[in-house]
């Protein structure tokens, strides 16, 4: 390695600051509360080979899969300066509302790297407002599918013709494009300061450093044959439990999660592509590493995820996947944590195990400015499981989510709604004081899981003339695993 410890720290922060600035440009330029207020978006910087250099501290379920988006774009031989758009879960995406822009950064006339931003758009068409229909049985019911394409005015016009809120989507896409351009400017500015060759060497050194640190940390946790099974309770179509089974092997400084034994893909939309399963496993691995290990492509080299093709966590096209990104990803993370706990490793207890998705929308009242339609999407905070040394926090986004809530004032200004009450349900985390995620049997501990938050929320139209359809998704109540229990929201 050519960088010493100080150089690694300096260059690591320099690359990360570019990704953070990309995220800030997106957040402050977007018009939809979903991105501007909730910050349901992510940004990262990749090298020319498609390996992550740095990421902003955004959404785990986004960030762990962005390299798949870059890989899908690189196959199309992007030219310097090209910007691609995609949301296809089977071609680099996660679920359809998450629209990703990948910009090929031009440096000295060649592609020097990629700036990537992903943002959840509150509507991308489909059978219901919000593009998260609970009863969807195939991908096409969930919205318009965009494979990796160069973002041209024609492509944008086609996309906007298939959504319920085209003006908001147009503005948010412009914000994403501005964020990609800011990433390109930041990378070129860094190259002007240090030289392009030195910058490439620094990126490589950082990835090798992260890989080495990750392998060292995992080598201290050597364990094999750790297994666990947990369930999703229904898929929106069939009322039956769906098993998620995992075997974890940590050996030779590498982490392997195998999902053989997991239920086949469901008829409903709780399926997920393997990229989302990898994101969940990567999130768990990241919690096992020291805080100062940079999260980049070096960490992903030590993680291997396998699953039978066609199962719940490795679905085939055109299985519906809207809830797989937001519900199944959480259960995957919880199940992997459970396997580690069964092996005696010190990990947090399970939290609420859901993102508490709420989506609805409709046609606004005459003269409201919402006549063309409106859509509202949010994930409601809940309780996190206790850690080995502290109570779990209440009313927070946990696991694969890392968003904020929509402030009441903003919600009432943007939508034809009024909020009657908003608060934490006291005691909903259960009366039992829960300890660390230790092996069975259940035992009392010092620490308490957090209480689900942001409930009860009661909503009503601002006017009797307003028309809206509401659908709330809640899959938090789960089977008792015998180790801890999760309260309702």
């Amino acid at each position: 390695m050519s960088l010493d410890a100080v150089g690694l720290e300096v260059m690591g922060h320099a690359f990360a600051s570019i990704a953070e600035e990309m995220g800030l440009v997106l957040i402050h330029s977007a018009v939809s509360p979903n991105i501007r207020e909730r910050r349901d978006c992510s940004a990262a910087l990749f090298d020319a080979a498609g390996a992550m250099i740095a990421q902003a501290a955004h959404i785990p379920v986004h960030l762990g899969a962005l390299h798949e988006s870059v890989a899908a774009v690189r196959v199309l031989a992007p030219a310097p300066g090209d910007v691609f758009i995609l949301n296809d879960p089977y071609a680099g995406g996660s679920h359809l509302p998450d629209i990703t822009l990948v910009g090929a950064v031009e440096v000295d006339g060649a592609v020097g790297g990629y700036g990537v931003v992903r943002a959840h758009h509150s509507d991308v068409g489909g059978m219901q407002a919000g593009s998260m229909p609970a009863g969807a049985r195939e991908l096409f019911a969930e919205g318009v599918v965009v494979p990796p394409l160069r973002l041209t005015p024609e492509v944008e016009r086609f996309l906007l013709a298939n959504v319920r809120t085209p003006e908001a989507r147009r503005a948010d896409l412009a914000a994403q494009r501005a964020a990609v351009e800011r990433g390109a400017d930041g990378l070129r500015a860094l190259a002007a300061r240090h030289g392009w060759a030195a910058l490439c060497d620094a990126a490589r050194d950082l990835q090798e450093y992260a890989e080495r640190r990750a392998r060292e940390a995992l080598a201290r946790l050597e364990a094999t044959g750790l297994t666990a099974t947990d369930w999703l309770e229904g898929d929106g179509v069939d009322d039956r439990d769906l098993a998620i089974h995992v075997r974890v092997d940590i050996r030779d400084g590498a982490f392997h999660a195998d999902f053989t034994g997991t239920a086949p893909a469901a008829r409903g939309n709780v399926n997920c592509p393997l990229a989302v399963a990898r994101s969940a496993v990567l999130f768990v691995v990241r919690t096992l590493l020291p805080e100062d290990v940079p999260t980049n492509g070096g960490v992903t080299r030590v993680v291997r995820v396998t699953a039978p093709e066609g199962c719940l966590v490795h679905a085939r096209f055109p299985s519906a996947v809207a809830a797989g990104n937001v519900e199944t990803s959480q259960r995957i993370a919880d199940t992997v944590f459970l396997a580690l706990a069964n092996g005696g490793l010190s990990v947090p207890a399970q939290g609420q195990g859901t993102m508490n998705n709420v989506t609805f929308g409709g046609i606004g009242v005459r003269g409201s400015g919402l006549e063309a339609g409106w859509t509202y999407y949010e994930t409601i905070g809940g309780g996190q499981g206790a850690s080995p040394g502290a109570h779990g926090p209440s009313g927070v986004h946990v696991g694969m989510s890392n968003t904020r809530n929509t402030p009441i004032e903003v919600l009432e200004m943007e939508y034809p709604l009024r909020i009657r009450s908003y608060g934490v349900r006291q005691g909903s985390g259960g009366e039992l004081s829960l300890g660390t995620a230790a092996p069975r049997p259940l035992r009392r501990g010092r620490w308490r899981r957090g209480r689900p938050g942001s409930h009860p929320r009661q909503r009503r139209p601002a006017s009797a003339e307003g028309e809206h359809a509401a659908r709330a998704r809640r899959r938090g109540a789960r089977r008792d695993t015998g180790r801890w229990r999760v309260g309702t929201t």
Side-chain angles (χ1 to χ4, degrees), residues 25-235:
V25 168
L26 173 56
I27 290 164
H28 294 305
S29 302
V31 302
S32 67
N34 199 49
I35 302 173
R36 188 186 73 234
E37 303 292 342
R38 289 189 56 248
R39 304 195 175 190
D40 195 345
C41 57
S42 298
L45 203 60
F46 290 76
D47 64 19
M52 182 187 286
I53 303 173
Q55 65 176 44
H58 290 154
I59 314 299
V61 77
H62 288 175
L63 293 165
L66 288 183
H67 70 281
E68 306 262 359
S69 301
V70 177
V73 166
R74 292 183 69 235
V75 170
L76 302 177
D82 279 350
V83 176
F84 283 73
I85 184 173
L86 64 93
N87 74 347
D88 186 349
Y90 299 100
S94 50
H95 65 171
L96 296 181
D98 284 343
I99 295 180
T100 305
L101 264 58
V102 179
V105 180
E106 185 275 327
V107 179
D108 297 334
V111 175
Y114 298 90
V116 186
V117 292
R118 176 170 289 176
H120 186 113
H121 290 247
S122 59
D123 189 272
V124 290
M127 61 187 284
Q128 287 183 0
S131 307
M132 299 280 288
R137 299 192 183 192
E138 59 181 4
L139 186 66
F140 312 111
E142 298 178 328
V144 60
V145 182
V146 182
L149 295 170
R150 285 177 173 82
L151 181 54
T152 65
E154 292 76 20
V155 169
E156 183 174 313
R157 190 158 58 247
F158 171 80
L159 173 61
L160 297 179
N162 286 276
V163 303
R164 293 175 177 83
T165 51
E167 292 307 314
R169 304 285 70 76
R170 189 194 315 276
D172 287 346
L173 285 173
Q176 285 185 261
R177 189 157 197 162
V180 167
E181 292 172 356
R182 181 58 63 89
D185 291 342
L187 191 61
R188 284 191 290 264
L190 207 58
R193 170 185 270 183
H194 299 282
W196 181 242
L199 206 62
C200 292
D201 289 342
R204 185 189 65 250
D205 288 350
L206 281 164
Q207 291 166 357
E208 291 176 353
Y209 171 70
E211 179 182 3
R212 177 172 60 81
R213 291 286 308 279
R215 290 192 184 278
E216 289 173 352
L218 292 175
R220 293 191 290 270
L221 302 174
E222 193 97 359
T224 59
L226 310 183
T227 63
T229 302
D230 214 331
W231 295 266
L232 284 169
E233 296 179 345
D235 65 351

Side-chain angles (χ1 to χ4, degrees), residues 212-260:
R212 177 172 60 81
R213 291 286 308 279
R215 290 192 184 278
E216 289 173 352
L218 292 175
R220 293 191 290 270
L221 302 174
E222 193 97 359
T224 59
L226 310 183
T227 63
T229 302
D230 214 331
W231 295 266
L232 284 169
E233 296 179 345
D235 65 351
V237 175
D238 299 314
D239 187 18
R240 62 186 179 88
D241 290 351
L242 300 168
I244 296 177
H245 179 79
V246 67
R247 171 183 168 132
V248 174
D249 293 294
I250 308 174
R251 59 161 65 98
D252 301 326
F255 190 104
H256 178 208
D258 178 51
F259 290 91
T260 299

Side-chain angles (χ1 to χ4, degrees), residues 354-381:
T354 175
M355 293 189 194
N356 292 316
N357 290 266
V358 178
T359 63
F360 51 91
I363 306 299
V365 298
R366 198 173 291 117
S368 69
L370 298 172
E371 293 88 348
W374 58 275
T375 55
Y376 168 68
Y377 172 79
E378 183 150 12
T379 52
I380 306 297

